[in-house]
Amino acid sequence: MKKTIMLIAAMCMTSAITFAQEIIRVSTEKTDLVMKVSPKGRLYQVYLGDKLQNPADYENLKWDVYAASDGAVCQRGHEVYATSGAEDYFEPAVAVTHADGNMSTYLYYKSSEQKAVKGGTETVITLQDKVYPLTVKLHYVAYPKENVIKAWSEISHKEKSAITLWRYSSTMLYFKSSKYYLTNYHSDWAKEGQPETTQLSTGKKIIDTKLGTRAAMHAEPFFELGFDEPAKENEGKVMLGTIGWPGNFRFTFEVDNVGALRVIPAINPYASDYKLKAGEVFTTPEFIFAMSDNGMGEASRNLHDWARQYQVNMGTGDRLTLLNNWENTGFDFNQQSLAELMKDAKDLGVDMFLLDDGWFANKYPRKDDHAGLGDWEATKSKLPEGIPGLVRDAKKAGVKFGIWIEPEMVNPKSELFEKHPDWVILQPQRDTYYYRNQLVLDISNPKVQDYVFGIVDRIMTENPEVAYFKWDCNSVITNIYSPYHKQNQGNFYIDHVRGIYNVLTRIHDKYPNLPMMLCSGGGGRMDYEMLKYFTEFWCSDDTDPYERIYIQWSLSKFFPAKTMGSHVTNWNKNTSVKFRTDVCSSCKLGFDIDLKSLSADDYKFVQQAVKNYNNSMKPMILEGDQYRLVSPYEGSHCAINYVSKDKQRAVLFAYDLHPRYKEPQQNVKLQGLDAAKMYTVKETNLMPGKQSDLECNGKQYSGDYLMKIGLNVFTPQDGTSHVLVLE
């Protein structure tokens, strides 16, 4: 017996030595995420922060182990993927009910591997339960130059029958600081990107959504963390985080009993106890984060660079300027009036004419938002020559043609609903609630996926010169019941989103160079998984220029300007066309306005502004580095500048919002310039016949002067704007 005990002890010691030597690093040029295997074979996070320069320091890192309670017989630490039913009493990363009903899981380290991927290194860590044939693979991709890390997990098993997942996080990160400040973003229709900063205290704060689709309408899937103090623009330790999931998401921020912060990004498990069959793999969404010791500005510029290079569809490609008809015509148009608008688009100087809602359905023509959704054939009474005639007219006018669709939705008053009521998310035996007079198609159903793919495929097959789609999604999911899932409703919310991915993957594979705008009742969808398929998104239906300044400021922390569509409209006609155009020119420029209603000077101005944008400013705005200089949230003005990657050119946007009477005006100090270079400052986007009244116009300054002393570009006049090019 004594020999047996000694042999077991020796085996455990050997195992402990083997595991204790296992250190796993996920590293960028500036950040280290370090994990270590404990003597018992469990994997712990031992460090997350500034990159360690001395290799010996990694050996000295220890996993924090805390007693679970006074007199506890077990201990816990910062386990990288904490489980439910074990010795950790806080929010788990994963929770499983096994096939035999057992609700506990213990994950042990098995192996890790690293491989090169485009732009970085992927680390895959395999964890397994010793009692149940359950495997979790943790994926981390580190992009060294951009200082961005993205993480997700894969869960699979080989049990005799299905298991139930009721927590399934993308990752789990731990932080140790004296204080933690969370800035999350809430919204509603036309009120996107509203920040709210809270100091996190002991306990949990949860940000989540239960809307199914258009999921970001109330809570948005990105946040800032400030350590020791609230996140600042140009100083302090911060993290920007965002999850790539257009469905129900959940962020959990939990400060535990020893003052450590756990950040757990995940699909929201609300109404989603997921049945996972043996051999299937449950893949969680990607969580993307960037850390900086120099504030949000540096972190967001890194995120922008990463997004353009590795995540956004055609992220390094050009973007089309456009004229949309919606604010001009609404549903009231025909083929002849659209042909005239196409000529207007050419005369304006934009690249494309975009036809919005109202072009489809015949049995129930789309005259308003009560009918027609689902019947994607051109209305013959409006468009007798259909889409081919529109493509021809656009080509004749000298512009590209794009078109609006809302393929995930259906009106009850439609041929599609009459033929396939079983394709619709609809509660049996209950009164139906209609959100915006429409219902949502059950895209978890493969037949519905084929149908939705076929909408785009048929248009493109018949009209290969269609150059652009605006893909809208106006309704949240109501009447929550999937006819396809029947008795397995816990899988519905998740499989619905995966069905959307299946459709978009098929479209992208067949039409890889097709630009598409992601719209969702405005900014109801803004995430980096969908941006793998879309070239840009619509920030908000609120195009009031004042409000857009706030919205665009917030969203620019997470998304590059080339992904943010911004259109000049007639919202808030009390502002000048110049002011509205200057606001939109700081993002991906478009127009949605009745050009014929403009005065002669206003029309000349917008024509010149399009030329200025296309010929001079667009490369800096779409590809350059963005610096947020003066926050609209902190005063009566706003300023941002973009700098080309070679620092040879820059553009400054300055806006006067609602200045106080005789308010002192401060110089705007630019950022990101070459200190030694001499820049000539020239104001652009001037009204016809108007000369610049800025003292700096036409003068030369060193980059050092511009960054330390700055320029006097603000005025006490409400709704004034200045755009300056430096070269």
Side-chain angles (χ1 to χ4, degrees), residues 261-311:
L261 171 65
R262 302 167 177 224
V263 177
I264 311 174
I267 297 172
N268 191 347
Y270 166 76
S272 297
D273 285 356
Y274 195 93
K275 294 287 191 298
L276 185 68
K277 297 178 182 177
E280 293 182 341
V281 178
F282 185 99
T283 303
T284 68
E286 295 175 353
F287 176 68
I288 302 110
F289 68 97
M291 299 186 68
S292 172
D293 286 337
N294 300 304
M296 294 178 294
E298 181 180 81
S300 64
R301 284 187 291 277
N302 287 336
L303 202 54
H304 297 171
D305 284 344
W306 164 82
R308 288 187 294 249
Q309 290 290 327
Y310 308 116
Q311 194 83 0

Side-chain angles (χ1 to χ4, degrees), residues 470-523:
K470 178 180 177 181
W471 181 301
D472 216 337
C473 171
N474 282 303
S475 181
V476 302
I477 294 180
T478 58
N479 315 290
I480 303 163
Y481 177 82
S482 164
Y484 177 72
H485 279 87
K486 297 182 174 64
Q487 302 305 313
N488 195 20
Q489 295 296 313
N491 287 31
F492 161 63
Y493 271 128
I494 294 169
D495 286 351
H496 180 82
V497 173
R498 290 174 175 169
I500 295 171
Y501 291 163
N502 290 342
V503 172
L504 293 171
T505 299
R506 291 171 66 184
I507 293 171
H508 186 263
D509 288 348
K510 189 168 183 180
Y511 306 103
N513 299 315
L514 177 63
M516 295 200 297
M517 176 199 286
L518 177 61
C519 184
S520 187

Side-chain angles (χ1 to χ4, degrees), residues 482-645:
S482 164
Y484 177 72
H485 279 87
K486 297 182 174 64
Q487 302 305 313
N488 195 20
Q489 295 296 313
N491 287 31
F492 161 63
Y493 271 128
I494 294 169
D495 286 351
H496 180 82
V497 173
R498 290 174 175 169
I500 295 171
Y501 291 163
N502 290 342
V503 172
L504 293 171
T505 299
R506 291 171 66 184
I507 293 171
H508 186 263
D509 288 348
K510 189 168 183 180
Y511 306 103
N513 299 315
L514 177 63
M516 295 200 297
M517 176 199 286
L518 177 61
C519 184
S520 187
R525 278 181 175 168
M526 293 178 281
D527 77 90
Y528 272 120
E529 187 65 27
M530 294 293 272
L531 281 172
K532 290 179 179 178
Y533 309 102
F534 292 85
T535 50
E536 62 219 57
F537 65 90
W538 184 232
C539 303
S540 176
D541 281 344
D542 188 343
T543 54
D544 179 306
Y546 290 114
E547 294 302 316
R548 266 304 180 116
I549 286 172
Y550 290 93
I551 292 169
Q552 291 170 188
W553 179 276
S554 292
L555 301 186
S556 73
K557 295 176 183 179
F558 304 94
F559 302 101
K562 77 184 315 176
T563 65
M564 295 165 55
S566 190
H567 296 175
V568 182
T569 74
N570 280 326
W571 275 50
N572 197 342
K573 289 185 178 181
N574 292 327
T575 60
S576 68
V577 168
K578 170 179 165 52
F579 185 67
R580 284 175 264 161
T581 303
D582 288 349
V583 169
C584 296
S585 294
S586 67
C587 291
K588 188 263 184 183
L589 177 64
F591 290 81
D592 194 345
I593 193 169
D594 180 4
L595 296 172
K596 290 182 171 58
S597 68
L598 300 180
S599 68
D601 279 351
D602 282 348
Y603 190 70
K604 289 179 182 178
F605 168 80
V606 293
Q607 285 180 309
Q608 187 60 49
V610 171
K611 291 179 182 177
N612 295 341
Y613 184 83
N614 283 332
N615 299 336
S616 176
M617 297 187 292
K618 187 162 72 165
M620 291 180 282
I621 296 165
L622 300 191
E623 310 298 338
D625 292 324
Q626 183 195 62
Y627 295 85
R628 293 178 293 271
L629 307 177
V630 179
S631 171
Y633 289 97
E634 297 175 3
S636 304
H637 307 273
C638 177
I640 59 174
N641 75 266
Y642 295 90
V643 183
S644 63
K645 288 295 185 181

